[in-house]
Amino acid sequence: MNFKTVLMGAVAGIAMAPAAFAERGADGHVNIIYWQAPSTMNPYLSGGTKELEVASLVLEPLARYDETGAMVPFLAESVPTVENGGVSADLKTITWKLKEGLKWSDGSDLTSADVKFSWEYCTSEGGGCAQSEKYNDVESVETPDDLTIVVHFAVAKPFPYGPFVGAQAPIIQKAQFADCTGPAMASCTDQNFAPIGTGPFVVDEFKTNDVVSMSANPNYRDPMKPAFATATVKGGGDAAAAGRAVLETGEFDYAWNLQLAPDVLADMESKGKGHLEVSFGTLVERIMVNYTDPDPALGEERATAAHPHPILSDKAVRQALSMAIDRELLVEIGYGAAGKVTCNVLPAPAIYASTANDACMTQDIEGAKALLESAGWVDSDGDGIREKDGKKLALLFQSSTNAVRQDFQAIIKQWWEEIGVQTELRNIDSSVFFGGDAGSPDTFQKFFADVEMYANNFDGTDPEAYMANWECKQAPRPETQWQGNNMPRYCTPEFDALVAEMAKTGELEKRAELAKAMNDMLMQDYAIIPLVYRGRVSAASNTLGGVIMNSWDSELWNAADWYREK
Amino acid sequence: MLNYTIRRLLISIPTLLFISLVIFLLLDLAPGDPMSSIPLTVPPEVKEKMREALGLGEPVHIRFLNWLYQFFVVEPQVAWDHLFGTDFAEGKQRIISFQSRSPVMTVVAERMPQTLWVVGPSYVIGILIALPIGIISAYKQYSWFDQIGTFISMIGFSIPTFFSGVLLIVVFSVILQWFPSIYDTTHTVTDWGSFWYQVKQMIMPVSVLALYNAAQISRFMRASMLDNLNQDYVRTARAKGMSEKVVVLSHVLRNSMIPVVTVIALGVPTIFGGAIITEQVFQVNGLGQMLITAIYASDAPMVQTLTFIFAVLIVLFNLIADILYGILDPRIRYD
């Protein structure tokens, strides 16, 4: 990607911004509702989306992703690349330059020491920093002068934009947090609730899990922004109440994450007070197919590679399961405008999206039946369930408790029974299912079922770590305390080779090819059955201008540009 | 009476300790993990580090004793320091919430007024409505007043607050636009204008809860009055030529209040407990909303502390109800 064009685009965007900006604070107050209220303003202490996004009004990284997934410099002067010399040829060093004259909201200067400190803070021992993965492989950070930061990696990093980029890894003030490293991270409540930042707003009052009151940052780098003098981020209630407050009563200007039935949302929107903002990142609702046998009789070796799955090891079965699904109908009942049909587990950014698997777009019940028939799965005893070698085609299908997921389960069960696959459904409370407690038999990592459904995505725009999820060694098993992301326990040397190759390839086109190849391999082996490409839905009042919905970074990434529509 | 009170207070100490142990073990055994709401993009090793930072690596008994020490020693010290400007609690570990990493008691103190502002008035208003309705309904049993009163309390009983609350929002916020649908917890009353706004934002949640409370208490009041109205002493009072007002309000009412006072006293802890559903519906964000979010987030220290505070209140108000019994009914003596 050419960052120069991105920069020019950003500049052009600013130039085209409406003349509504009179001066800082001219547009009064903006009301934002996050129905899951933020519990802290320090994203390093909480990996939760609600905290990251609300904190992004105050704390900023060196660069963010814009709505297309391209990187835009925020505190940095420009985004370093190999072409502009900012990234060394061996991909082990990246040099960032700060913009000149940047100030913290308390009036002091932002220097490279603050940037370096942000790294030290998150990687300090015993702190439990939620974003430490962003600083993986960072060996040292040098600050030759007040504006220059040189990050040295221990290994070659084809994608060196983990540290200090995106809403997950913002810059915090050294002077404020100097005594809050390591085990002291949690006890610095005042700092965590009201961090000093460089963003458009300053925290005036923070009530945990309730409300955040903010006012415009007097030292914000653009003297004309933000247009709003004060802002409130209110929490509590549910998505329906949040949607109502923006779309029906007009009390609020912006409502985050409205996971509601498509017809409910359409009805709210028809009241004419506001509109929905949808944007697509990388979130895919998918069914994982278990390659290993979850039979309880196997004891310790249950759901491990020692015992291949008696039914699902047959590729024809996996393929038939995928063919029987009508994805368009799923999108319609579950997500409406906030969903798209997908046949890939890696749906975006555009350069990584494969078109090789698009056959899945149309349901093919007859084809699925014929496929099972030819693979030897026939219904010999007339009970409607196919069998082969005395094994019945019966599956246990688990998912987390969630109204849309249970609808999906019921309807998929119907399709599968149509092709002669008996399906038993099960749903598990999400705090257990996603909890990762090695002592619980019900986690999605243990996968003591035949197929399971959930959604996942990746941060930022680089799929390297995400695609490495399906490496052999990522399979959850007793030796790893049942941790790992390779739920299907997919394991082929070809795939692992592609992962290894991507880790040492720097060229973007090559990386895209590799990622596509990995995606296609997973799709054509039917290890993962993608269902719906899910977007984020939020609502904005018709009187709020400047909102650009973004799935690659915080939704509030450009709140400095928001204004009141006159 | 004093002896009895002291004895009861002493007995409640082991009771409360036992309750706290049961709550702790239940929370510890319950499935769920404070890391479950963290996005899947955060890798498991990082989650493990975060778990350690929360102190989850320690064995159960150590964590329980820690909590006891923090609740009974550190937190009172902090409160003392706060009131008198001393520094006994300096540098001591307080009870920390998993969600916000801030002291639980600070959040409780922050939330308490919000809950009391809404749930308190609704309880008082509920009682004020319920008592006259109960008395008149019983005195004029099967009259049209009694029928309507019964009908309304049946509605109050049977319509859940998540329905009546949303119904009010749709009518008064969406259609008529009279009241705000979202409660502003940062609002401060400084003059008549802001007081009026506070009243406007309280009307809907308070009426939903008041209806619910009034329904229950008026039924108790009515039943208790009916029990007494047919007693011999009532006939005697009437035979002595006392006016109906004296018969009903001083003879019957005083005797009928005994069970009702118990019900009212036992209901007081629920004011502090907040109204989980109503608080959610109107975004009042008091203690009830705090408890439910803490449960969802598997925030054990927060849930443990809150439920224990409720337990203390329940034990305390049980005692108060018993003492009130003795005051209202001279026949009841504990010594």
Side-chain angles (χ1 to χ4, degrees):
Chain A
M1 214 178 305
N2 186 348
F3 286 102
K4 208 162 154 197
T5 31
V6 171
L7 269 178
M8 304 245 295
V11 172
I14 291 160
M16 282 189 300
F21 306 108
E23 57 186 289
R24 175 176 296 157
D27 284 351
H29 185 77
V30 62
N31 265 321
I32 302 168
I33 186 160
Y34 266 60
W35 56 273
Q36 288 177 354
S39 53
T40 174
M41 287 296 280
N42 185 348
Y44 287 121
L45 277 184
S46 159
T49 319
K50 56 194 172 107
E51 282 87 17
L52 288 183
E53 299 209 342
V54 178
S56 75
L57 292 171
V58 175
L59 297 172
E60 293 179 309
L62 296 181
R64 282 195 194 286
Y65 298 97
D66 71 3
E67 74 279 11
T68 62
M71 232 177 284
V72 234
F74 260 61
L75 298 177
E77 208 157 49
S78 61
V79 176
T81 57
V82 178
E83 292 83 57
N84 68 19
V87 177
S88 68
D90 64 356
L91 305 175
K92 281 179 147 179
T93 314
I94 179 168
T95 308
W96 292 91
K97 274 248 184 250
L98 289 172
K99 281 180 184 155
E100 265 175 65
L102 290 175
K103 285 196 186 310
W104 291 102
S105 58
D106 65 358
S108 59
D109 289 329
L110 170 83
T111 66
S112 53
D114 293 306
V115 181
K116 182 178 180 189
F117 174 75
S118 303
W119 162 67
E120 289 166 342
Y121 175 80
C122 185
T123 49
S124 61
E125 201 53 46
C129 174
Q131 311 297 351
S132 51
E133 199 220 355
K134 300 279 162 225
Y135 297 100
N136 262 0
D137 302 322
V138 176
E139 201 174 48
S140 63
V141 177
E142 266 177 69
T143 52
D145 63 59
D146 273 359
L147 296 178
T148 314
I149 303 107
V150 186
V151 183
H152 295 283
F153 294 101
V155 294
K157 279 266 177 186
F159 188 84
Y161 308 109
F164 316 124
V165 177
Q168 286 88 0
I171 310 305
I172 54 172
Q173 193 192 35
K174 183 174 182 181
Q176 193 190 17
F177 282 92
D179 297 330
C180 297
T181 54
M185 263 169 96
S187 50
C188 289
T189 308
D190 292 342
Q191 287 88 335
N192 295 334
F193 280 4
I196 293 169
T198 51
F201 291 97
V202 182
V203 181
D204 293 332
E205 191 190 12
F206 181 88
K207 290 184 168 185
T208 180
N209 285 344
D210 180 9
V211 66
V212 196
S213 309
M214 306 193 205
S215 54
N217 175 359
N219 292 305
Y220 189 63
R221 55 186 170 276
D222 184 335
M224 304 307 238
K225 292 174 184 175
F228 291 103
T230 50
T232 302
V233 182
K234 169 80 179 172
D238 54 18
R244 201 183 299 123
V246 171
L247 299 170
E248 294 192 44
T249 70
E251 289 163 80
F252 277 73
D253 297 307
Y254 189 86
W256 161 86
N257 191 14
L258 301 179
Q259 288 173 322
L260 293 166
D263 53 322
V264 173
L265 277 179
D267 185 48
M268 282 183 178
E269 200 176 11
S270 70
K271 300 284 185 341
K273 296 234 173 192
H275 54 274
L276 297 175
E277 293 273 349
V278 183
S279 115
F280 289 84
T282 55
L283 188 64
V284 174
E285 186 82 27
R286 76 286 293 279
I287 291 177
M288 292 288 185
V289 179
N290 199 344
Y291 272 54
T292 61
D293 192 352
D295 185 355
L298 296 173
E300 287 292 292
E301 292 185 334
R302 186 180 185 193
T304 63
H307 302 275
H309 197 285
I311 306 169
L312 293 171
S313 300
D314 184 348
K315 185 181 160 193
V317 176
R318 303 195 298 266
Q319 187 177 353
L321 293 179
S322 173
M323 286 165 80
I325 294 169
D326 182 352
R327 290 167 173 81
E328 248 165 70
L329 189 62
L330 290 180
V331 169
E332 200 184 309
I333 58 171
Y335 297 97
K340 292 181 192 170
V341 171
T342 185
C343 293
N344 297 308
V345 74
L346 178 61
I351 48 159
Y352 298 111
S354 165
T355 49
N357 317 299
D358 287 353
C360 93
M361 299 243 184
T362 41
Q363 186 188 30
D364 186 4
I365 296 265
E366 289 315 312
K369 282 184 187 166
L371 184 65
L372 288 174
E373 206 78 36
S374 63
W377 294 93
V378 283
D379 179 16
S380 48
D381 53 8
D383 62 354
I385 303 157
R386 292 171 193 273
E387 57 272 308
K388 180 182 175 182
D389 308 330
K391 284 175 292 191
K392 271 199 177 299
L393 205 39
L395 301 175
L396 174 63
F397 181 10
Q398 71 179 17
S399 189
S400 71
T401 309
N402 162 319
V404 176
R405 294 217 166 106
Q406 267 75 75
D407 281 352
F408 276 25
Q409 278 187 308
I411 190 163
I412 290 170
K413 173 183 163 122
Q414 213 176 327
W415 289 323
W416 284 353
E417 297 204 329
E418 228 171 288
I419 61 167
V421 179
Q422 189 185 36
T423 314
E424 188 192 332
L425 301 183
R426 185 161 181 254
N427 67 74
I428 301 158
D429 186 81
S430 40
S431 69
V432 176
F433 190 63
F434 296 117
D437 175 6
S440 164
D442 297 325
T443 63
F444 74 135
Q445 290 103 336
K446 278 214 176 151
F447 201 173
F448 288 168
D450 303 302
V451 283
E452 66 182 3
M453 175 170 65
Y454 61 92
N456 198 2
N457 63 330
F458 57 94
D459 286 338
T461 53
D462 181 61
E464 184 184 327
Y466 178 67
M467 294 317 287
N469 279 347
W470 296 287
E471 251 183 311
C472 278
K473 65 174 188 206
Q474 282 266 15
R477 52 192 187 275
E479 301 86 75
T480 64
Q481 278 74 46
W482 294 102
Q483 301 302 325
N485 290 311
N486 186 356
M487 306 313 163
R489 287 87 160 116
Y490 185 76
C491 188
T492 62
E494 297 84 16
F495 190 88
D496 286 11
L498 288 176
V499 171
E501 201 181 330
M502 185 154 180
K504 51 179 200 246
T505 309
E507 244 174 291
L508 193 68
E509 283 74 25
K510 276 265 178 62
R511 289 172 68 80
E513 252 169 54
L514 287 167
K516 272 192 207 176
M518 284 190 257
N519 172 72
D520 292 348
M521 198 182 275
L522 289 168
M523 294 304 101
Q524 282 150 22
D525 271 341
Y526 299 92
I528 299 170
I529 303 174
L531 300 174
V532 180
Y533 177 23
R534 286 171 52 186
R536 286 197 199 177
V537 202
S538 294
S541 158
N542 287 338
T543 65
L544 182 66
V547 175
I548 299 174
M549 181 68 172
N550 188 343
S551 278
W552 304 102
D553 204 297
S554 163
E555 276 179 31
L556 308 176
W557 71 295
N558 74 333
D561 304 339
W562 290 8
Y563 59 91
R564 185 67 64 196
E565 221 55 90
K566 294 287 181 330
Chain B
M1 195 70 115
L2 186 67
N3 249 332
Y4 169 77
T5 313
I6 293 171
R7 207 166 59 230
R8 279 281 301 265
L9 281 175
L10 288 179
I11 293 175
S12 59
I13 294 174
T15 316
L16 286 172
L17 281 178
F18 181 71
I19 293 177
S20 68
L21 177 68
V22 170
I23 300 174
F24 194 90
L25 291 180
L26 274 177
L27 285 176
D28 196 61
L29 290 174
D33 175 35
M35 295 298 121
S36 62
S37 52
I38 305 283
L40 299 180
T41 45
V42 173
E45 314 85 78
V46 176
K47 287 188 185 169
E48 197 47 49
K49 286 240 170 71
M50 291 173 75
R51 244 181 237 119
E52 274 166 30
L54 294 176
L56 282 172
E58 305 270 0
V60 187
H61 61 279
I62 301 281
R63 278 185 285 136
F64 179 61
L65 291 176
N66 259 340
W67 180 83
L68 279 183
Y69 176 74
Q70 288 165 357
F71 190 87
F72 288 103
V73 180
V74 182
E75 292 298 340
Q77 282 179 339
V78 171
W80 184 270
D81 290 353
H82 189 71
L83 288 176
F84 302 104
T86 50
D87 50 0
F88 290 119
E90 193 62 41
K92 287 180 187 158
Q93 178 68 46
R94 301 181 63 186
I95 305 174
I96 298 284
S97 150
F98 285 172
Q99 294 173 83
S100 60
R101 311 284 184 91
S102 65
V104 170
M105 294 309 265
T106 315
V107 189
V108 171
E110 190 179 282
R111 292 298 180 91
M112 190 74 90
Q114 278 156 224
T115 286
L116 292 183
W117 259 105
V118 172
V119 189
S122 75
Y123 201 62
V124 174
I125 291 172
I127 294 170
L128 290 181
I129 297 174
L131 295 187
I133 289 183
I135 296 168
I136 299 172
S137 293
Y139 187 66
K140 301 199 167 158
Q141 200 185 3
Y142 304 132
S143 66
W144 61 267
F145 186 90
D146 184 25
Q147 305 287 6
I148 292 175
T150 308
F151 178 69
I152 292 177
S153 38
M154 278 306 130
I155 290 181
F157 255 121
S158 48
I159 294 186
T161 49
F162 62 79
F163 181 80
S164 49
V166 174
L167 187 71
L168 286 190
I169 289 179
V170 169
V171 174
F172 292 104
S173 296
V174 177
I175 300 176
L176 296 173
Q177 309 241 337
W178 287 357
F179 308 125
S181 71
I182 289 174
Y183 189 93
D184 178 4
T185 47
T186 55
H187 182 73
T188 45
V189 178
T190 49
D191 52 22
W192 284 108
S194 58
F195 176 74
W196 177 234
Y197 183 81
Q198 177 65 19
V199 171
K200 268 185 15 186
Q201 68 171 349
M202 276 169 63
I203 286 179
M204 289 198 294
V206 168
S207 30
V208 165
L209 283 172
L211 174 69
Y212 178 73
N213 289 324
Q216 297 197 337
I217 297 169
S218 72
R219 297 315 284 172
F220 275 108
M221 192 69 229
R222 180 177 178 272
S224 171
M225 283 290 282
L226 283 176
D227 278 348
N228 278 290
L229 275 169
N230 299 322
Q231 300 274 331
D232 291 342
Y233 74 88
V234 179
R235 199 181 314 120
T236 314
R238 285 202 176 112
K240 275 161 61 183
M242 285 177 173
S243 70
E244 276 305 281
K245 197 177 150 194
V246 175
V247 172
V248 176
L249 292 186
S250 48
H251 290 246
V252 182
L253 183 59
R254 184 160 181 191
N255 284 306
S256 316
M257 281 306 279
I258 295 169
V260 178
V261 162
T262 322
V263 171
I264 293 176
L266 289 181
V268 172
T270 60
I271 299 181
F272 293 91
I276 292 175
I277 294 165
T278 315
E279 285 186 5
Q280 278 291 94
V281 171
F282 294 98
Q283 275 103 313
V284 178
N285 296 348
L287 291 175
Q289 187 262 1
M290 178 166 135
L291 179 63
I292 197 80
T293 20
I295 291 174
Y296 275 128
S298 301
D299 185 352
M302 178 88 92
V303 179
Q304 162 87 12
T305 309
L306 275 180
T307 37
F308 185 68
I309 293 175
F310 298 158
V312 172
L313 288 171
I314 289 169
V315 170
L316 191 71
F317 277 91
N318 259 305
L319 177 63
I320 291 177
D322 284 351
I323 295 171
L324 279 177
Y325 249 62
I327 294 171
L328 282 171
D329 188 345
R331 285 170 303 178
I332 300 172
R333 278 291 168 264
Y334 298 108
D335 297 322

